[in-house]
């Protein structure tokens, strides 16, 4: 547990909290943090501070079972003292901020805070435009089927999941505004929006109500690593102040 706490402190101090670099692209400057390799895990909504989370989670897997988007999975043997605890891999399946948060309601130990009942209370992390050189909007390219074909293989076991994939496929042949349009936050324009830089190019601007759900990362059509990614366990001011 101490190693996890030290990793978080190092990450915030060395990475998001202090050192920023400008990624120059076509005359526009886009700020992103210099990420440290010791990035904390992305936990379900309502997760307590990592130390408390690890000490209270009973590894029952009930949150995993009730998630309608199949977003959660339990960490395996290679995860040290986090083994058996739930996390998200946003690139494979993000959190869609479900009504009533069934994962939280299913948690019997309180490691997922039952006081979290609305999306604006969630603090999973923050999105950053880490790879602006991969952003289709900045490159002025339309979305092609080949860009999203791998994402369309994500889980489609129910109507909710299928709707996500149908919505994504509707962008084929169109300019990419996927991250802003498909953000599940109730007032999405307060979490992320498409804006223009000084040269007239469009790009996603992360705003202060972003909760780090990861949908922007999952659905980003950039190849391999997404243009926009989630930094877990940090707040907006730690990244953008």
């Amino acid at each position: 547990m101490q190693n996890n706490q030290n990793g978080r402190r190092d990450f915030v101090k060395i990475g998001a909290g202090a050192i920023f670099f400008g990624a120059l692209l076509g005359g526009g400057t886009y700020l992103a943090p210099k990420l440290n390799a010791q990035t904390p895990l992305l936990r379900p909504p309502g997760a307590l501070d990592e130390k408390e989370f690890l000490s209270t989670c009973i590894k029952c897997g009930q949150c995993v079972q009730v998630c309608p988007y199949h977003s959660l999975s339990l960490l395996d043997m290679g995860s040290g003292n986090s083994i058996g605890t739930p996390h998200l891999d946003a690139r494979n399946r993000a959190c869609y901020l479900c009504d009533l948060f069934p994962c939280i309601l299913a948690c019997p130990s309180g490691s997922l805070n039952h006081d979290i009942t609305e999306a604006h209370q969630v603090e999973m992390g923050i999105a950053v435009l880490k790879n602006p050189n991969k952003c289709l909007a900045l490159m002025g390219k339309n979305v092609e089927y080949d860009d999203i074909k791998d994402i369309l293989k994500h889980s489609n076991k129910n109507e909710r999941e299928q709707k996500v994939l149908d919505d994504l496929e509707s962008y084929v042949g169109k300019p990419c505004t996927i991250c802003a349009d498909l953000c599940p936050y109730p007032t999405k324009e307060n979490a992320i929006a498409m804006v223009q830089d000084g040269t007239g190019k469009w790009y996603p601007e992360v705003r202060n109500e972003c909760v780090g759900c990861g949908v922007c990362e999952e659905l980003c059509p950039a190849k391999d690593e997404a243009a926009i990614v989630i930094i877990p366990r940090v707040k907006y001011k730690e990244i953008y102040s």
Side-chain angles (χ1 to χ4, degrees):
M1 288 185 286
Q2 187 64 41
N3 288 340
N4 282 342
Q5 288 297 96
N6 289 340
R8 169 164 163 70
R9 283 195 294 268
D10 290 346
F11 171 75
V12 173
K13 180 180 179 182
I14 298 173
I19 304 174
F20 286 75
F21 63 88
L24 300 178
L25 183 63
T29 300
Y30 312 95
L31 293 181
K34 185 174 182 180
L35 304 183
N36 187 283
Q38 297 179 328
T39 304
L41 293 164
L42 186 60
R43 296 298 191 179
L48 302 178
D49 175 86
E50 188 70 10
K51 183 177 180 179
E52 288 186 81
F53 179 79
L54 290 175
S55 66
T56 56
C57 177
I58 60 174
K59 307 176 183 181
C60 64
Q62 291 191 43
C63 57
V64 176
Q65 294 176 31
V66 301
C67 178
Y69 288 92
H70 301 91
S71 303
L72 301 173
S73 60
L74 301 180
L75 289 162
D76 60 20
M77 294 284 289
S79 304
N81 60 348
S82 290
I83 183 174
T85 61
H87 81 120
L88 298 92
D89 178 352
R91 192 60 172 147
N92 289 319
R93 175 64 88 197
C95 170
Y96 282 80
L97 302 175
C98 306
D99 293 341
L100 302 178
F101 295 104
C103 56
I104 296 177
L105 293 176
C107 177
S109 69
S111 59
L112 302 183
N113 184 355
H114 285 231
D115 291 334
I116 303 299
T117 59
E118 298 182 22
H120 70 85
Q121 297 173 296
V122 173
E123 294 181 341
M124 297 172 69
I126 291 295
V128 296
L129 186 60
K130 179 187 175 188
N131 300 303
N133 59 311
K134 291 187 171 188
C135 178
L136 294 187
L138 272 172
M139 291 189 286
K141 294 183 178 180
N142 288 348
V143 179
E144 298 181 5
Y145 182 83
D146 188 61
D147 296 323
I148 62 170
K149 65 180 182 181
D150 289 337
I151 307 174
L152 294 176
K153 297 175 184 176
H154 289 189
S155 182
N156 63 345
K157 298 176 182 178
N158 57 51
E159 290 183 2
R160 292 193 192 199
E161 292 181 317
Q162 188 58 53
K163 184 179 186 307
V164 170
L165 301 183
D166 290 344
D167 288 346
L168 178 66
E169 192 168 7
S170 72
Y171 283 85
V172 173
K174 300 176 183 177
C176 188
T177 54
I178 290 169
C179 57
D181 293 348
L182 300 187
C183 173
Y185 191 72
T187 51
K188 63 185 69 180
E189 66 278 5
N190 294 332
I192 186 170
M194 301 301 295
V195 298
Q196 287 180 291
D197 67 11
T199 68
K201 294 179 179 179
W202 292 91
Y203 71 98
E205 178 183 75
V206 179
R207 296 180 171 175
N208 65 355
E209 291 188 30
C210 171
V211 298
C213 68
V215 170
C216 55
E217 181 174 348
E218 179 195 351
L219 302 183
C220 177
K223 294 296 184 183
D224 302 318
E225 186 179 18
I228 190 166
V229 302
I230 301 300
I231 305 178
R233 297 289 200 177
V234 295
K235 298 180 180 180
Y236 182 86
K237 288 182 179 179
E238 294 178 76
I239 300 295
Y240 293 104
S241 62

